[in-house]
Amino acid sequence: VLAAFATSLVLNHGAAVAASAEKGKAAFIKHGCWQCHGFVGQGSVASSGGKVLAHTELPLETFDAFVRSTNRAMPPFSEKILPKQDLADIYVYLQSIPKPANYKSIPLLNR
């Protein structure tokens, strides 16, 4: 799966090719994304109710456009505030987060 994702980045997302999940995690924290979306993009029902971002199915270009122009509960982040490379790194970080276990594989939840 990771190899397919990496191939997809190379073929479809030129800006994300040089992106780094490690740098993305740092940028996610630095720019305060965690405050609404949780440290691993899991979302939150507290405060402003940040949406789940981990494993987003949005292409990088759509993700970028939303972050730059949203006028909903989330303020828009211009390139002056959140550089394009930081946003590409954040995108790769969110894609790199391991998916949680299926609840059916957790015995305690299946009694």
Side-chain angles (χ1 to χ4, degrees):
V1 173
L2 190 55
F5 175 69
T7 302
S8 170
L9 285 177
V10 170
L11 297 177
N12 299 322
H13 305 296
V17 172
S20 159
E22 186 176 318
K23 288 180 182 178
K25 182 177 183 178
F28 192 79
I29 293 167
K30 174 185 170 187
H31 293 288
C33 306
W34 63 272
Q35 294 174 344
C36 295
H37 300 286
F39 280 100
V40 290
Q42 78 272 19
S44 171
V45 294
S47 115
S48 64
K51 303 290 183 201
V52 174
L53 296 179
H55 319 111
T56 181
E57 294 183 11
L58 294 175
L60 176 59
E61 294 79 12
T62 306
F63 183 74
D64 183 282
F66 179 79
V67 170
R68 304 288 182 212
S69 64
T70 179
N71 61 1
R72 297 179 183 172
M74 185 177 119
F77 286 81
S78 69
E79 281 193 51
K80 186 175 181 180
I81 296 169
L82 179 60
K84 192 169 191 80
Q85 185 61 52
D86 283 0
L87 188 58
D89 290 338
I90 288 170
Y91 182 83
V92 170
Y93 164 63
L94 293 170
Q95 295 298 331
S96 75
I97 296 168
K99 289 189 178 189
N102 183 320
Y103 77 91
K104 292 179 182 178
S105 70
I106 304 171
L108 184 61
L109 298 178
N110 291 294
R111 291 185 174 190

